[in-house]
Amino acid sequence: MVVIKGCLDNSLVDNQTKRCVVLLNEFDKAKSSVQNALIKVMDDGTYGDRRGSLDFSELDCRKVVWLLASNYGDVAASRFYENHVAPYKPEGRVWYFH
């Protein structure tokens, strides 16, 4: 069982029976122990809540949508834009991608 402390823990406890989305920005920069703990929660669908007590209560996280953001592909995305989009973009016109 994984124990998460702090704001994420409080939010997951408060939204335990609801569907919710958790965005973990710059996940790649987290310590590997933190990454592994969060991946285990995502994989198992449960985690241990120990807020203020020594007793663990197992909370259901199966309704949580986990979004992991990273900057790993930013160079490749910029290069793609410069090579394949920018040459065809009319000057002064804003493009919207859907």
Side-chain angles (χ1 to χ4, degrees):
M1 183 182 310
V2 175
V3 178
I4 301 173
K5 294 182 180 180
C7 295
L8 178 59
D9 178 59
N10 293 338
S11 179
L12 291 174
V13 170
D14 293 344
N15 294 297
Q16 180 181 356
T17 60
K18 304 172 190 168
R19 292 184 178 128
C20 64
V21 176
V22 174
L23 171 63
L24 300 172
N25 193 20
E26 298 187 359
F27 185 74
D28 55 310
K29 294 181 182 176
K31 292 181 180 180
S32 63
S33 60
V34 173
Q35 290 177 346
N36 291 336
L38 289 168
I39 289 172
K40 182 163 176 41
V41 172
M42 293 173 214
D43 191 39
D44 294 346
T46 59
Y47 79 101
D49 176 38
R50 194 178 74 175
R51 298 183 318 161
S53 71
L54 296 176
D55 297 329
F56 286 95
S57 59
E58 193 168 290
L59 298 175
D60 186 1
C61 292
R62 291 178 295 170
K63 292 184 179 181
V64 176
V65 175
W66 299 90
L67 298 177
L68 308 178
S70 171
N71 293 328
Y72 274 135
D74 63 341
V75 173
S78 296
R79 205 173 292 137
F80 178 85
Y81 176 83
E82 291 169 5
N83 294 334
H84 300 286
V85 177
Y88 303 104
K89 182 179 175 186
E91 290 298 319
R93 184 169 180 205
V94 177
W95 282 30
Y96 296 97
F97 296 97
H98 300 282

